[in-house]
Amino acid sequence: MKHTIDTIEVSKRETAPGFFETRRRMFLLPIFALPVALGRAGKALGNQMGQEGSMAGPATSNTGRLDWESFIKQSVPVAEELHKDSSASGQEAYLHWLASMIARARTAEIPKAKLGRFGKLEPPVSFGVSYRGRPFFIVEWKLEPGAFLPPHCHPNVSVCTVGLEGEARIRNFEIIGQAPEFSSRNSFLVRETHDEIMAPGRINTLSSMRDNIHTFQAGKTGARGIDISSYHGPDVGFSFLDIAAKPKEPESRMFEAAWKGQSV
């Protein structure tokens, strides 16, 4: 989704960290950030290999499929290093690393969460936390056939979304300029940055600085997936949005939007 419900724990405290104000849109890791990112990753991998003795064996291999234990064992040390840089380029390096690792994981072995229905959405949408760790936690989501999860933001959070079953349309938006406080119902502008299909194995990412708002619409067979979410700042809550059905500026995909609180 282009943005836990980020911190979703199936309660009114569940957050969908997206971003309160987005000024930059980034899709690729800037070239100037590569040496820093690779340096951090290399150091973490080097430390890990030093502790384990060698590169041999599935737990330390840089290629091939990963079982769940190996995914955590290899991902966490590097993620902890990359997570220290919360700049735009630092978050991109962090997200690309997580995406590259989860793409290798055997999805059938990802721990399943105890799901709970979210709000009063009909058809139902359910969430559950399947992994609690640092620097990331994982929320499993399930959308019944035709279910719609309204647009929501993820302040100070990055999210790596992975499709596991079925298909869902995911759209991402980012705020243009300065948005009002969550308590305000004044309108502001958002730009649609992605409109795509989430299917098994497909990955979508958002950072606290780009694509921080997302929304889901399940297909005829429903959909299931996970959000790998990380805080890059304090938990300031989140809000759903009303986004106009038609763009105000079609060529630039600009839409009028307004906050609508945490109730659905």
Side-chain angles (χ1 to χ4, degrees), residues 64-251:
R65 302 306 299 275
L66 296 170
D67 58 27
W68 180 248
E69 182 180 355
S70 297
F71 167 76
I72 293 298
K73 191 173 185 178
Q74 290 194 41
S75 298
V76 169
V78 180
E80 287 177 336
E81 283 298 314
L82 294 175
H83 185 261
K84 294 176 182 178
D85 183 356
S86 60
S87 67
S89 60
Q91 289 187 47
E92 293 302 316
Y94 176 77
L95 283 166
H96 282 284
W97 167 258
L98 284 181
S100 70
M101 294 300 288
I102 196 64
R104 295 171 54 199
R106 297 189 182 100
T107 55
E109 297 183 12
I110 296 176
K112 290 189 175 182
K114 181 179 180 180
L115 301 179
R117 184 168 179 172
F118 182 74
K120 298 180 181 180
L121 294 172
E122 189 65 46
V125 174
S126 301
F127 294 99
V129 178
S130 62
Y131 173 78
R132 301 175 187 272
R134 293 179 181 272
F136 58 81
F137 60 96
I138 298 177
V139 172
E140 181 180 340
W141 48 266
K142 182 179 181 182
L143 284 69
E144 298 299 327
F148 175 68
L149 179 63
H152 54 276
C153 65
H154 304 75
N156 296 330
V157 173
S158 68
V159 182
C160 178
T161 297
V162 185
L164 298 179
E165 296 177 2
E167 292 187 349
R169 180 189 183 192
I170 181 172
R171 299 171 70 195
N172 292 78
F173 300 82
E174 54 191 27
I175 296 168
I176 303 302
Q178 181 78 36
E181 297 294 329
F182 289 154
S183 59
S184 172
R185 296 300 176 258
N186 294 333
S187 65
F188 53 94
L189 290 177
V190 296
R191 173 183 289 139
E192 184 180 46
T193 53
H194 290 270
D195 184 350
E196 57 197 42
I197 299 298
M198 287 300 299
R202 294 189 181 180
I203 296 174
N204 175 289
T205 67
L206 65 88
S207 79
S208 69
M209 299 182 185
R210 54 92 177 155
D211 307 336
N212 198 259
I213 296 164
H214 64 189
T215 179
F216 295 82
Q217 175 78 59
K220 294 181 179 180
T221 61
R224 186 174 72 89
I226 57 171
D227 283 353
I228 307 175
S229 303
S230 310
Y231 278 95
H232 299 273
D235 178 358
V236 297
F238 80 101
S239 179
F240 289 101
L241 299 83
D242 278 325
I243 297 179
K246 295 183 179 181
K248 183 176 182 179
E249 300 179 19
E251 290 187 5

Side-chain angles (χ1 to χ4, degrees), residues 39-56:
R40 287 181 179 275
K43 179 180 178 181
L45 283 172
N47 292 340
Q48 181 182 3
M49 287 185 284
Q51 295 170 359
E52 295 174 359
S54 74
M55 283 286 290

